Amino acid sequence: MSDVSFYDYAALSAEEKAALLRRSEADLSGVIEKVKPIIEAVRTEGDVALARFARDFDRAENVTPHNLKVTEAEFDAAFKLVDQKVIDAIQFGIDNIRSFHEEQKPETMWMKEIRPGAFAGDRFTPIQSVALYVPRGKGSFPSVTMMTAVPAVVAGVPNLAIVTPPAPDGSVDAATLVAARLAGVSTVYKVGGAQAVAAIAYGTETILPALKIVGPGSPWVVAAKRLLSGVIDTGLPAGPSEALIFADDTVHGGLAALDLLIEAEHGPDSSAYLVTHSRRVAEEALAELPGLWAQMTPQRVEFSRTVLTGKTGGVILTSSIEESYEFVNSYAPEHLEILSKEPFDHLGRISEASEILLGQHTPCSIGNFGLGPNAVLPTSRWARTYGPLSVTDFVKRSSIGYVTAAGFPLLAGHAHELALYEGFSSHALAVSDLRQKYVK
């Protein structure tokens, strides 16, 4: 397929190799300038601004300042609009996701005796309010609702709300409402984009402010999170979808092509590369793509073709398996598939990827829709320092310390010496013999 971007990695210059690592939201300067007035309008006008932006951006003429919150009747109607097989698939995914995340939940508190009579540990408590962003612009994503809501509910967050863009008729995607109710979230607002992030950060007449917002979004959402990071905890950086398909010479290139299209079809701002040292695999993948596109819907063909023929996708032929490892670790992908008959042989060489799916029967589709691990993942190379969304994103940790009378003298003596050395006289006084004067 001549128009699919093809790269002979060993022949590229350092600048060309660096260009392959760039994502669509790498430069948000233009978007940020457009987002600033949106944020200010929401801060000053509240619900009126949200309704106006619903009309301007989502073409949702029926959204008003008075119907931004989804009603119980709308929740009930959603179950009649969604096919039972879809509801069953949502419930199946939620069950798996809950089972996985329950294993992540830390114990409420632990303590260890550090020295005789001196105890230290951690206590975990849920964050009091969190908003879950569920995108809609390029599709409907009940799976994102499942992935964000379930760990939040498992963590015990008492105040949860979903923000998601309305359809032109003013409705919220029915399957998203089904997933929300089945996961245990009853508050959903009809607002998306940068305006949703602003509404959650500042609060409006209808929307209660939250301490944190999580979930993937468009460059507009990413830009708003950056601008509001001093007002609200914006969670892990999750932007447009990205994936690397790593394939060795034991698999058919058609399989690599099949899975290369998964994340590429999310939208024209996605990133997707096949990385292989096998020319046979690369050529087979290129040959199979036209036939696969012929079986997809037109919109998804358009999205994936844009990605794979552009600057954020295609096929990368490396000169060796070691060079493939090097590229994967430099790219630090959101999703990584290791296509091989012996995928565990490669796992030890990969350190920089948020989600790693192993073998010929674990495509991103299964990871996205309910294997159990979370599919809300850091993008734009943030996999180097962030992990997937988890229960721990919805709890906060407090350090706990307790020293008995018997344990005090040993710790106090050492603390006294360091306090004097650092010049803190009140520190020293607090652990001096003077303390005994006040202890009863």
Side-chain angles (χ1 to χ4, degrees):
M1 191 66 185
S2 59
D3 58 344
V4 172
S5 300
F6 179 84
Y7 305 93
D8 184 343
Y9 192 71
L12 299 180
S13 67
E15 293 77 11
E16 290 169 328
K17 290 179 178 178
L20 293 177
L21 305 180
R22 298 191 190 113
R23 272 58 158 196
S24 61
E25 83 259 33
D27 181 10
L28 291 173
S29 56
V31 178
I32 283 176
E33 290 307 310
K34 295 175 182 177
V35 163
K36 285 180 180 178
I38 295 174
I39 292 174
E40 182 60 18
V42 173
R43 189 185 70 82
T44 57
E45 300 176 50
D47 289 347
V48 171
L50 295 180
R52 182 170 70 251
F53 292 136
R55 293 192 298 271
D56 293 346
F57 300 146
D58 303 308
R59 301 184 301 281
E61 298 291 337
N62 294 332
V63 173
T64 74
H66 309 293
N67 65 2
L68 291 168
K69 186 177 180 180
V70 172
T71 65
E72 285 297 309
E74 288 175 291
F75 270 104
D76 293 340
F79 280 80
K80 300 175 183 177
L81 295 172
V82 179
D83 187 274
Q84 187 60 46
K85 289 183 179 180
V86 177
I87 295 175
D88 291 343
I90 290 172
Q91 186 65 69
F92 176 83
I94 285 174
D95 290 344
N96 291 349
I97 297 162
R98 181 178 290 113
S99 178
F100 178 87
H101 287 82
E102 283 174 345
E103 293 299 314
Q104 287 184 333
K105 188 176 182 179
E107 55 185 311
T108 303
M109 188 173 80
W110 65 268
M111 294 191 79
K112 177 182 179 180
E113 192 170 20
I114 305 299
R115 295 279 182 173
F119 301 84
D122 284 327
R123 185 182 69 155
F124 294 89
T125 55
I127 297 171
Q128 289 300 298
S129 58
V130 181
L132 315 174
Y133 188 88
V134 178
R136 185 171 185 175
K138 303 181 186 72
S140 299
F141 299 103
S143 58
V144 175
T145 304
M146 294 151 56
M147 292 292 178
T148 54
V150 171
V153 171
V154 169
V157 177
N159 299 295
L160 281 170
I162 290 170
V163 285
T164 188
D169 65 359
S171 67
V172 166
D173 171 57
T176 292
L177 294 181
V178 168
R181 178 174 279 180
L182 293 179
V185 178
S186 58
T187 300
V188 178
Y189 298 116
K190 305 173 184 179
V191 55
Q195 60 270 29
V197 182
I200 290 299
Y202 293 117
T204 71
E205 298 89 337
T206 298
I207 297 177
L208 294 176
L211 297 171
K212 185 171 186 175
I213 184 168
V214 302
S218 68
W220 291 73
V221 172
V222 175
K225 286 182 177 181
R226 289 189 187 177
L227 288 169
L228 290 165
S229 60
V231 180
I232 185 173
D233 182 344
T234 55
L236 66 87
S241 299
E242 57 185 57
L244 290 186
I245 309 300
F246 169 99
D248 67 13
D249 57 3
T250 67
V251 298
H252 192 287
L255 185 65
L258 189 67
D259 290 359
L260 180 63
L261 291 167
I262 296 172
E263 296 304 316
E265 76 169 345
H266 270 282
D269 53 1
S270 297
S271 304
Y273 290 104
L274 164 61
V275 183
T276 182
H277 69 292
S278 168
R279 183 171 291 276
R280 173 190 60 79
V281 169
E283 291 176 349
E284 287 176 350
L286 291 168
E288 289 293 320
L289 283 170
L292 296 173
W293 270 321
Q295 301 176 63
M296 293 166 56
T297 56
Q299 184 188 50
R300 301 302 165 178
V301 172
E302 179 184 353
F303 288 164
S304 59
R305 282 183 63 89
T306 298
V307 172
L308 296 180
T309 61
K311 295 181 179 180
T312 59
V315 175
I316 298 173
L317 179 64
T318 62
S319 60
S320 66
I321 194 99
E322 288 75 19
E323 198 169 58
S324 292
Y325 297 142
E326 173 192 328
F327 181 79
V328 170
N329 286 324
S330 295
Y331 194 86
E334 176 192 20
H335 303 275
L336 171 67
E337 284 191 29
I338 297 180
L339 291 182
S340 171
K341 289 184 178 178
E342 300 294 339
F344 287 92
D345 289 350
H346 304 296
L347 184 58
R349 301 297 300 275
I350 304 298
S351 60
E352 311 301 327
S354 185
E355 176 184 69
I356 303 175
L357 301 172
L358 300 167
Q360 299 181 81
H361 302 287
T362 321
C364 288
S365 310
I366 286 179
N368 287 345
F369 294 131
L371 176 61
N374 210 289
V376 176
L377 307 162
T379 57
S380 289
R381 304 183 78 194
W382 284 109
R384 294 175 296 172
T385 57
Y386 283 87
L389 191 71
S390 72
V391 170
T392 57
D393 288 292
F394 297 96
V395 299
K396 58 188 184 300
R397 182 170 57 89
S398 301
S399 295
I400 303 294
Y402 172 63
V403 179
T404 66
F408 178 77
L410 177 62
L411 275 76
H414 290 290
H416 191 270
E417 290 300 320
L418 287 173
L420 292 176
Y421 179 82
E422 294 191 359
F424 292 113
S425 54
S426 65
H427 280 63
L429 282 174
V431 290
S432 70
D433 293 340
L434 180 62
R435 189 174 197 83
Q436 299 310 312
K437 177 181 177 181
Y438 304 107
V439 174
K440 295 181 180 181

